[in-house]
């Protein structure tokens, strides 16, 4: 029923703190993607999940970034020891398996992260 | 060279004009192509798929040229509500589905 849900919608944190961002994909969507978008910039790929495994983590910018997914559903993106350059909108998208229109991504409304 | 390249614009066009955007991609094994639209401070939303034979949806026409590795989006009779950033998306599959977004082309339709 519902679309992709992300929480929180806004997060303000102090430099050096850890943050967790959550994504609830559309039910039945096995593929899940995380992107980062800085103000006025394009989408920067972070990580892709197929089911609970992550075959492509190539976009994670540093070891401060990690993500997991459980039950082929909820995913969390964790940023440790946040830096000011981490400030951005973090977007989550999900899609069906490839054999069922798996290439059409549906996005959540994002989490706006501000690191002070 | 970026995997997917777009002219960032902005394209400033008057209402009623026809405008076209191109997007080039570097991976010849790319299999699927889409255009997404992103309004200011909003998430991207699927606009239309792009098929080899070309496809049309109302005022929007999308085309794919595999030989030259580019896709295009044509908007006829531009409306103020068409003002947005248009993102080109290329999908390739090896062992898994890789989705690559272009940086987008900004369109501003002027009254």
């Amino acid at each position: 029923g519902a679309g992709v849900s992300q929480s929180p919608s806004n997060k303000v944190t102090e430099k050096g703190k850890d943050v967790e961002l959550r994504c609830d994909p559309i039910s039945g969507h096995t593929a899940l993607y995380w992107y980062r978008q800085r103000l006025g910039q394009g989408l920067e790929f972070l990580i892709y999940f197929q089911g609970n495994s992550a075959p492509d983590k190539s976009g994670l910018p540093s070891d401060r970034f990690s993500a997991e997914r459980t039950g082929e559903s909820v995913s969390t993106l964790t940023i440790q020891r946040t830096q000011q350059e981490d400030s951005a909108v973090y977007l989550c998208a999900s899609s069906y398996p490839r054999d069922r229109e798996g290439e059409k991504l549906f996005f959540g409304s994002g989490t706006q992260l501000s690191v002070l | 060279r970026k995997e997917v390249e777009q002219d960032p614009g902005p394209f400033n066009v008057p209402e009623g004009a026809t405008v076209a955007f191109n997007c080039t991609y570097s991976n010849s094994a790319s299999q699927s192509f889409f255009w997404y639209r992103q309004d200011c401070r909003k998430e991207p939303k699927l606009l239309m798929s792009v098929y080899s034979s070309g496809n049309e949806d109302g005022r929007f026409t999308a085309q794919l040229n595999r030989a030259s590795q580019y896709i295009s989006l044509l908007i006829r009779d531009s409306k103020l509500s068409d003002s947005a950033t248009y993102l080109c998306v290329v999908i390739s599959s090896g062992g898994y589905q890789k989705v690559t977004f272009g940086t987008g082309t900004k369109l501003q339709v002027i009254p």
Side-chain angles (χ1 to χ4, degrees):
Chain A
V4 178
S5 176
Q6 290 188 247
S7 60
S9 55
N10 280 281
K11 176 72 177 178
V12 180
T13 190
E14 293 179 349
K15 178 181 172 181
K17 300 283 189 183
D18 297 351
V19 295
E20 271 193 5
L21 311 180
R22 177 185 169 108
C23 173
D24 282 274
I26 294 171
S27 178
H29 281 196
T30 58
L32 187 147
Y33 305 79
W34 283 99
Y35 290 88
R36 176 169 74 178
Q37 188 170 34
R38 293 193 169 106
L39 188 63
Q41 304 294 312
L43 274 71
E44 180 185 354
F45 169 78
L46 297 178
I47 188 168
Y48 158 70
F49 286 93
Q50 181 56 49
N52 293 335
S53 64
D56 190 352
K57 305 179 183 180
S58 63
L60 294 177
S62 74
D63 59 8
R64 296 188 295 106
F65 287 73
S66 63
E68 63 175 19
R69 187 180 186 195
T70 55
E72 294 197 351
S73 180
V74 172
S75 175
T76 54
L77 176 68
T78 301
I79 309 173
Q80 296 178 309
R81 306 181 301 282
T82 52
Q83 304 295 313
Q84 288 182 332
E85 65 261 27
D86 299 335
S87 296
V89 175
Y90 289 81
L91 289 161
C92 174
S94 68
S95 70
Y96 279 118
R98 183 176 171 83
D99 61 349
R100 185 187 164 187
E101 298 188 358
E103 298 162 339
K104 296 179 180 178
L105 271 62
F106 296 83
F107 282 84
S109 53
T111 294
Q112 172 71 63
L113 175 66
S114 301
V115 182
L116 304 179
Chain B
R1 181 184 174 186
K2 289 183 180 178
E3 291 184 60
V4 180
E5 294 201 65
Q6 294 183 253
D7 181 341
F11 284 57
N12 298 311
V13 303
E15 272 187 287
T18 295
V19 62
F21 312 132
N22 280 343
C23 166
T24 59
Y25 61 94
S26 60
N27 184 354
S28 59
S30 298
Q31 297 182 322
S32 304
F33 309 87
F34 300 87
W35 284 101
Y36 280 70
R37 169 189 170 134
Q38 186 174 26
D39 292 288
C40 188
R41 300 186 184 276
K42 298 287 189 181
E43 72 275 17
K45 293 185 179 177
L46 178 66
L47 178 65
M48 60 195 301
S49 306
V50 187
Y51 302 119
S52 298
S53 55
N55 50 297
E56 190 173 306
D57 182 1
R59 298 181 293 109
F60 297 82
T61 301
Q63 291 195 311
L64 166 65
N65 185 321
R66 285 191 183 273
S68 300
Q69 295 184 203
Y70 77 84
I71 68 173
S72 64
L73 178 67
L74 181 79
I75 306 175
R76 291 182 299 278
D77 188 23
S78 299
K79 312 290 185 190
L80 295 177
S81 57
D82 294 334
S83 298
T85 296
Y86 290 84
L87 305 170
C88 165
V89 177
V90 174
I91 298 180
S92 57
S93 298
Y96 60 89
Q97 177 170 291
K98 181 172 182 180
V99 180
T100 305
F101 280 78
T103 52
T105 297
K106 186 172 183 178
L107 171 66
Q108 185 69 49
V109 181
I110 304 163

